[in-house]
């Protein structure tokens, strides 16, 4: 079985709410990333801005 690795990218967004959920899966979409996490929803935050993390699948390379 081939394994994959992950690359994560954090972004600060100047919006109150980016996606209405803690995690959104974009499986099967044409996007370059497959999951988006919005940290505010894990802690029920009320900040004016929000932080998201995009998860990118990348091929595993030994070493």
């Amino acid at each position: 079985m081939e394994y994959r690795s992950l690359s994560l990218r954090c972004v600060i967004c100047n919006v109150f709410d980016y996606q209405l959920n803690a995690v959104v899966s974009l499986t099967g979409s044409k996007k370059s990333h497959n999951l988006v996490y919005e940290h505010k929803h894990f802690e029920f935050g009320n900040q004016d801005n929000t932080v998201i993390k995009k998860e990118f699948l990348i091929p595993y390379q030994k070493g």
Side-chain angles (χ1 to χ4, degrees):
M1 177 177 178
E2 278 190 36
Y3 289 90
R4 295 178 280 187
S5 192
L6 298 176
S7 173
L8 303 171
R9 184 177 308 151
C10 289
V11 179
I12 298 173
C13 300
N14 292 323
V15 296
F16 178 75
D17 197 342
Y18 183 81
Q19 63 187 13
L20 302 174
N21 291 294
V23 180
V24 172
S25 175
L26 303 170
T27 308
S29 75
K30 303 261 186 223
K31 304 268 186 193
S32 60
H33 53 281
N34 69 328
L35 287 174
V36 179
Y37 304 89
E38 186 169 2
H39 296 274
K40 170 187 282 191
H41 294 294
F42 290 112
E43 300 291 331
F44 306 103
N46 292 320
Q47 303 86 346
D48 291 335
N49 298 329
T50 192
V51 175
I52 63 167
K53 185 179 292 171
K54 294 182 180 183
E55 179 181 289
F56 298 84
L57 293 176
I58 55 176
Y60 171 77
Q61 295 179 358
K62 189 175 180 178

